[in-house]
Amino acid sequence: MAAVGILRPLWDTLAATGEVTGAYPDELLSIEGYTRGRLSTGSEINADNVELVRELLTPSTYLQVAQMGRRLQVAKTTTELMRLSPWEYLEATLRNRGRARFDSNGNVVTEPDGKPWIGGIPFPDAPSAVELFAGLTMSWGRHDASFYAVKEYELSPEGRVQFQYEAGWAELMPVARVSMEPRPYWPGHDDKLRYQSIVFTAPQSVNGTSFLNVWSYDQSAFPQLWGYLPEFKRIRQFPTSQRFESMIPGSTIYLSDAWAAGDPLHTWGNYRIVGRGPLLAGISGGWNPAHPNWEHRTHGGPQGKTFWDTVVELVPEAIVVEAEPVKFPRAPVSKKRVWFDARTQLPIGMVSYDRRGEPFRSFDGAFGLYEAGDRTVFDGSHPYWSWCHVHAFDLQTRRMTRMEQVAVVSPDHRMRVNDPAIYERYLTQSALLRLGGGS
Amino acid sequence: MHSSSRELRALVIGLISAVATPLAGAADGAGDNNEPSDGMSVSFDGFIRSETAVKSSSSENPFNQRSNVMNGRTVNRSSAAIGGFSDTATRNGGRASNDLDLLLFRAELNLELKFTPNLSLVSKLRAVFDPGWYDEFEPAGVNSIAVGSQYGEPNYFEYFVEGKSQPNPLEFAGRNYLIGLPSFFVAYDNGPFNLRVGNQQIAWGQAVFFRVLDVVDGLDLRRHSVLDFASEEFADKRVPALGVRASYQISPDWLVDGYVQKFQPTVYPNANTPYNVIASQFTVHDLYDEYDSKVSYGLRLKGQAGKVGLQAIAVRRYNPDGVFRWTESGVNRDLALVPGSGAAMQGTPFEVDPSGVWSATEWFNYAGLARLSGVTAFDSAASFPAALALGAVPTSMIGLDPYDPAAKALVGQQLDLFFQLSGSGLRGHLAREYRPETLVGGGISYVTEGAPGSWLDQLVINVEALYARDRVFTDPSLSGSFHRDDEVVAALVLEKYQRFSENFPATYLVFQWLHKTRSDLFGRLLDGYGGDENTIGRGVSGGYNAFAIVAQQAFPNLVWRADLAVLYEGSGGVLIQPAVRWKPNDKFTLEAYYNFLSGSFGNESKNALSTVAHADELTIRLGWQF
């Protein structure tokens, strides 16, 4: 298995210096170096110059820039490890290096005692394709508990916002905890990998609609799924294998798409690494502290609303992995291709392919530290790191779903992180009942 | 969002915030977002919608005056065998010919005030208006002076209770409008504990449309009866009640949920309105005022044991559907051919009025439609002392079996005599009362695992059952002693999302089987089944069975959705509802569904759906939300 890092093993370098610079040559650590000065930090990538960096973009991002008016602002490459993911998650990665293995069921356990994972990236050094996905599936948001206040916009191919939703997305780790007590396991819950829910709060037609997934630690089992639909006014159990359906009108997002790894690890298969190389991606600068609710500006498309204003930086090494939905025989996708930042194994791009093998839908996200002087948001003792906005684009119909993480959605659901109250507020059946009460 | 709706929301939220903020301390701006807010927030939204049901057949509601099946039909009346005479009668109620079954305009406004992260006020205002553009009953047209507000010109929304002007304290209604607060409660949550105090609806159980464990609330049938979009189930129908509901998440897998609430009954459509189900020749004295201070309460435990879902309920309630019996009319109006008989008539369950029943033929016909016994219902009415004083002779008094043709003949002669003497017709007077009952029930669910994509993969199987001990039913005789019997209600529910195509989302499929041991879908005792103009019903054995099949196919992006719901009764009733829903953007929604109803796939008097079989219609709903 190829180690991460080009000049020397990345995680040895990170452990020693906290910087990635020793692991990669200069031309992979700055856009100036890579383009030999034709682009620089602060440059805008647009249709006029996109050919300069075509090989640094996913095919869909290239198409959007070249043909749809998307523009990308180039930022300096982040080299300091602790700015690339939550602090405690990276600390745990360093602390627990070499302690992960797969058990006979294909689940990540500790070496040598075979217990559930204890936090951080399980296979940081020379990951195989399935190891990359194992780490991603295990921890989506990289915090022990998160509640994301989300605004979602569904755009027609003509660039009109047809649907606008407000929602809350909650996820909580009962195992592999690195911040919240008790850790690394939450006694009584340690047979679960994750509690996760989504609740739509606006507009009125979907207010109170919510779904709760409870993930087994066993990555061959489908999560249990309960839902609260306002028209039924009660919690009902739902089959959970249907993970390729829009949850709300207009949306191009499936449950399966979450974090590019929305399904249990072994419901997909044939994981394989298909490429490596640098990539331009939204690693930093995605947060917009200038807006009181962190909302982002848009541009491009037929009406100037199709794309988020996006900051990208040169990622020195991305690992491209493909996987197939082996447990979903009638899924509309035949495979997905995910670009991982080799440094942190963060998914920075995804393209799925339809059953004919044609590119179907693409996803690209922007991440960053929520750090801006006295407006800095903390996740405890460190600035909050998280996703900031996402594009989900249907390459065949050219419909776009834009999502952004905001401070608050109606009526008063606010972003929370590593807050034990997230469980009672959003991740129990009782919570679903309460959240549906306004409808 | 369009600017107009944004401005409306902003205005409302601004006004409310201005008033309410001092109550909750300084409001927290959305920008102060590093910590969860302890301040107040307001959210407001809503929609307006037109709902139009266009008739697709010439059938009219037989329970209304202008579409009484006897209107214009000449029938023989004979009381000669008991010393009377023979004549003919032709009911003169006219003939309605409606193009519309429903034209309703609706607005709903939702407002939530969050005082603190744990305390909020949740409210929903619902306002509906029906202009009454139907062939309406005009009392003067048939010289009716029937007593009772709802027996004049049709009243689409007021709920009439004797001695009580506002049966639902948070509802205001007139002939054409209804304004209410189906939700108006304070919600408090603290960790695993949730509490709601105020007016609210509660729904339990996994079965949809078939109400097995969904026993907390009665139904409000004034807005399109039970014939709305099937996939919405009873969201608009459950009668809200003032109460307290508390739930506690005992563990990740177990939830306990309990309530105590003011008893609120089911509300039936009024006489001579499009979906009325109580024959309009009868006057109902709703005695809810005597039960207004009663409470219902219940407890539910719901959880998961491994892969098996479990729930159990125990409820003590007043059955919201109520029970009906004869009652003295209290109307002192003479039989036309018996001057001075008014004093006696007021002690009988009858009132002289042309809007009543005109012949024994009509009596037996409508007894069958209402799933009552024409013979024993007469006996019960004739047993009133005042009726006996007027010469009525219950057949039971002379030892006749109610199914003996001689009993029917004797009842027919007596009825025809009274109708002849009335000079017009006789309205029957019924009292509606409510009886307490104790319910226990449970459910078990299991999600199968099979080969991926197979029919047995992720099939949700759910069984629910309810036991009602000593349940009180309206007796087919309308006797005041009612009918008491234990009843079991059970349902099997199979749900499946099955993908048939890679290009379309999964099809949602549901199969349900409902079995009730003593009553039908609408709660009517099965002992009253089988009667018609010529036959005294002997009831049906084997209980009541209904089967539902639902298919829901969303199109990519969910902008279009097609539904099909089929309800089939083992005894020949059927409802077929194909539907389409179009939501091109987040403001506008178009829904169209067609109701095909029939009871004639079997004996119409032996199924429940024949009661509403007149309502073949295409309903179109146009909604705009803000």
Side-chain angles (χ1 to χ4, degrees), chain A residues 87-391:
Chain A
W87 187 281
E88 288 82 1
Y89 182 79
L90 293 169
E91 274 188 335
T93 302
L94 289 164
R95 186 171 63 243
N96 298 325
R97 278 179 77 193
R99 293 199 59 191
R101 66 173 170 88
F102 287 111
D103 68 8
S104 57
N105 296 319
N107 298 312
V108 177
V109 294
T110 55
E111 180 70 34
D113 47 6
K115 290 185 173 177
W117 182 235
I118 49 179
I121 301 169
F123 306 101
D125 289 293
S128 65
V130 70
E131 288 171 342
L132 282 162
F133 264 99
L136 176 58
T137 307
M138 180 161 288
S139 181
W140 284 345
R142 305 184 167 216
H143 294 286
D144 292 346
S146 299
F147 176 80
Y148 308 120
V150 181
K151 287 197 167 185
E152 181 173 335
Y153 307 81
E154 315 292 348
L155 287 92
S156 69
E158 296 75 32
R160 286 196 309 275
V161 176
Q162 287 182 302
F163 299 89
Q164 186 172 329
Y165 298 106
E166 295 183 32
W169 176 282
E171 53 192 51
L172 181 140
M173 302 279 294
V175 295
R177 292 149 72 104
V178 296
S179 299
M180 284 167 48
E181 296 291 351
R183 63 181 189 237
Y185 309 132
W186 186 14
H189 302 253
D190 46 7
D191 59 337
K192 315 270 193 320
L193 174 69
R194 171 183 296 117
Y195 294 95
Q196 181 273 320
S197 71
I198 183 167
V199 56
F200 294 92
T201 63
Q204 179 273 337
S205 60
V206 296
N207 182 20
T209 301
S210 57
F211 297 95
L212 169 64
N213 278 278
V214 179
W215 285 56
S216 167
Y217 195 79
D218 179 1
Q219 288 301 288
S220 296
F222 284 112
Q224 293 175 313
L225 176 64
W226 287 273
Y228 183 96
L229 301 181
E231 58 262 45
F232 293 151
K233 288 197 176 297
R234 75 193 88 164
I235 295 169
R236 305 184 75 250
Q237 188 166 13
F238 288 93
T240 188
S241 60
Q242 301 306 317
R243 309 180 73 80
F244 295 87
E245 322 289 343
S246 299
M247 285 181 281
I248 44 173
S251 177
T252 62
I253 303 271
Y254 303 153
L255 211 49
S256 175
D257 299 326
W259 289 96
D263 306 315
L265 180 67
H266 297 302
T267 60
W268 288 66
N270 298 329
Y271 293 100
R272 56 196 177 274
I273 292 175
V274 296
R276 285 174 184 267
L279 193 78
L280 283 167
I283 297 296
S284 64
W287 183 45
N288 182 19
H291 190 282
N293 198 34
W294 310 346
E295 295 177 20
H296 298 81
R297 299 173 63 86
T298 62
H299 70 275
Q303 303 198 28
K305 298 175 183 173
T306 300
F307 303 102
W308 297 120
D309 288 1
T310 304
V311 175
V312 296
E313 64 177 58
L314 184 64
V315 174
E317 184 180 11
I319 306 173
V320 191
V321 180
E322 287 188 351
E324 296 172 12
V326 294
K327 291 270 188 84
F328 303 95
R330 295 190 183 87
V333 303
S334 59
K335 67 176 180 181
K336 62 183 173 185
R337 178 176 293 176
V338 177
W339 283 257
F340 290 85
D341 182 337
R343 300 167 297 180
T344 58
Q345 301 187 9
L346 186 70
I348 49 181
M350 178 170 105
V351 174
S352 64
Y353 295 79
D354 68 13
R355 284 285 171 185
R356 296 167 298 153
E358 300 295 325
F360 181 20
R361 296 174 314 134
S362 75
F363 301 81
D364 67 273
F367 304 85
L369 283 175
Y370 285 55
E371 186 179 39
D374 60 1
R375 295 187 63 79
T376 298
V377 181
F378 289 91
D379 66 2
S381 53
H382 301 99
Y384 176 52
W385 174 95
S386 190
W387 69 281
C388 305
H389 61 69
V390 171
H391 294 99

Side-chain angles (χ1 to χ4, degrees), chain B residues 515-519 526 540-545:
Chain B
H515 179 75
K516 300 179 76 177
T517 56
R518 298 299 299 138
S519 63
L526 296 174
V540 290
S541 59
Y544 174 82
N545 293 289

